[in-house]
Amino acid sequence: SALGGTGALVRGLVRLIEGQGGAVRCGTEVARILVEDGTARGVALADGTQVAANVVVSNADSAWTALRLLPPEVRGWRERRLARAHSSMGLFVWYFGTRRTYPNLAHHTILLGPRYRGLLDDIFSRKVLAEDMSLYLHRPTATDPGVAPPGHDAFYALAPVPNLAGGQDWAALAEPFRRRIAARLEATVLPGLSDALVTSRVTTPQDFSDDFLAWRGSGFGLEPILTQSAYFRPHNRSGAVRHLYLVGAGTHPGAGLPGVLSSSKILDRVVPDAAVFA
C-alpha cells in the first residue's frame, strides 16, 4: 500500500490529472449525463451547469449511473435487470485513533464471531442486524507510523452488515453498534481502548448512500456472485451509450483497491485518444 495511506494515492492521482492539464472539482455532484442520439455529450451538474465533453467516464456506482444519471430512454432492459440484481453487503466502518500504541498488533487482524453461515444468512438473506459480529481491524500505523502523531495509533474496524434493503435506521443504531464493537475490541485485542480513545468517526450504509451515492448503500457495488462477475459485471465500455465508459468498484473487474485501480488501467486501453475526435 502507498505510504501516507489512500489519501496519498488520491493526491498522486490529482497531481497526475492536473499535470496533464485537467481540473478536479470537489463537492460538485453530477445530476445527469447528457445524451444525444445515443452518444454521451457531457454532464449536467446539480447546480444546473452543463459541461460538454466528447467522452464521459463515470466512476459512480454502476447501478447509480444507469438508474439515476442516464435518461430513461437509454436504460432499457438494464433498469429491469438492476431491479432484480443482488447488491453487496453494507459496511459499518469505525475510524478511531488512540493516545497510545499497540505495538503487538499487526497491520491486518480478522476477529471472527461465534457464527459463520448463520451470520452470512443474517447479512445477505434475512438482512437483519445480528447481535454477534465478525470484524476486520486495520492498523495502518503498524507499517506506516506517519499516519498518526508520535505515540498514537490509527485504526478502523469494519463490520459487514445488511445493506439498506434491510431497512435499518442507522441514525439510531450507529452509536449503540459502535459501542458494541468497542467493547469487543477492548475485551480482545485493544485493552484499555475506552481510556485511550482520542478521535472517532463512523460510516454506515446510509452514509455510503448519502455521501457516495452507493446503490442500496452497498459497500462493493453489485454482489460478486458468478452471474455478476467477470464478463457478467457491467462492462467498462457502456453498452447503452456511445462514448460513455465506466470505472471503479461497480464495473469490471470488481471491488477493492486493486480491482478499482485495475479498472482504470483497462480504461487506458479502451477509451479513445482525444485525437480521434479532433
Side-chain angles (χ1 to χ4, degrees):
S1 59
L3 289 178
T6 305
L9 180 61
V10 171
R11 290 189 293 273
L13 291 172
V14 170
R15 286 194 300 270
L16 176 63
I17 293 169
E18 293 179 340
Q20 294 179 332
V24 176
R25 306 189 193 186
C26 297
T28 307
E29 183 179 343
V30 172
R32 67 185 189 280
I33 296 170
L34 302 174
V35 178
E36 296 178 7
D37 299 324
T39 302
R41 299 298 187 187
V43 296
L45 306 181
D47 65 4
T49 304
Q50 293 194 359
V51 181
N54 290 324
V55 169
V56 174
V57 176
S58 174
N59 74 331
D61 184 300
S62 56
W64 184 271
T65 300
L67 300 179
R68 291 291 183 267
L69 299 185
L70 289 178
E73 60 268 20
V74 299
R75 295 175 194 163
W77 58 267
R78 291 168 183 81
E79 189 165 17
R80 298 188 296 274
R81 179 177 175 180
L82 286 169
R84 300 192 304 268
H86 296 270
S87 294
S88 61
M89 62 192 173
L91 301 176
F92 185 97
V93 191
W94 177 34
Y95 301 88
F96 60 95
T98 58
R99 62 168 57 92
R100 55 161 289 188
T101 63
Y102 292 85
N104 295 325
L105 201 61
H107 190 129
H108 307 284
T109 301
I110 296 177
L111 292 89
L112 294 175
R115 299 183 302 150
Y116 174 69
R117 176 58 60 187
L119 182 60
L120 291 180
D121 288 341
D122 284 346
I123 293 171
F124 288 98
S125 300
R126 300 176 60 214
K127 290 186 167 56
V128 297
L129 187 62
E131 288 300 315
D132 58 312
M133 64 184 72
S134 287
L135 297 174
Y136 162 65
L137 182 64
H138 183 227
R139 179 184 171 240
T141 32
T143 52
D144 186 3
V147 299
H152 293 61
D153 254 347
F155 298 91
Y156 74 70
L158 181 151
V161 295
N163 61 41
L164 290 183
Q168 282 80 19
D169 179 5
W170 284 107
L173 292 171
E175 178 55 20
F177 194 63
R178 185 204 66 80
R179 289 198 297 265
R180 285 166 52 195
I181 293 175
R184 170 85 181 281
L185 293 174
E186 186 156 21
T188 53
V189 295
L190 296 178
L193 174 60
S194 55
D195 293 330
L197 203 62
V198 291
T199 185
S200 172
R201 177 172 180 166
V202 300
T203 299
T204 73
Q206 190 63 56
D207 295 314
F208 272 78
S209 175
D210 295 344
D211 296 342
F212 310 132
L213 305 181
W215 185 249
R216 296 171 177 157
S218 61
F220 300 107
L222 297 179
E223 184 183 349
I225 56 178
L226 177 61
T227 55
Q228 296 180 167
S229 297
Y231 181 82
F232 302 112
R233 203 162 181 81
H235 295 184
N236 301 99
R237 180 189 286 113
S238 171
V241 177
R242 292 186 296 275
H243 301 175
L244 172 63
Y245 299 86
L246 306 180
V247 69
T251 185
H252 181 76
L257 195 56
V260 168
L261 291 178
S262 294
S263 76
S264 68
K265 296 181 74 172
I266 291 171
L267 286 201
D268 192 42
R269 292 177 174 267
V270 302
V271 174
D273 186 88
V276 172
F277 304 102

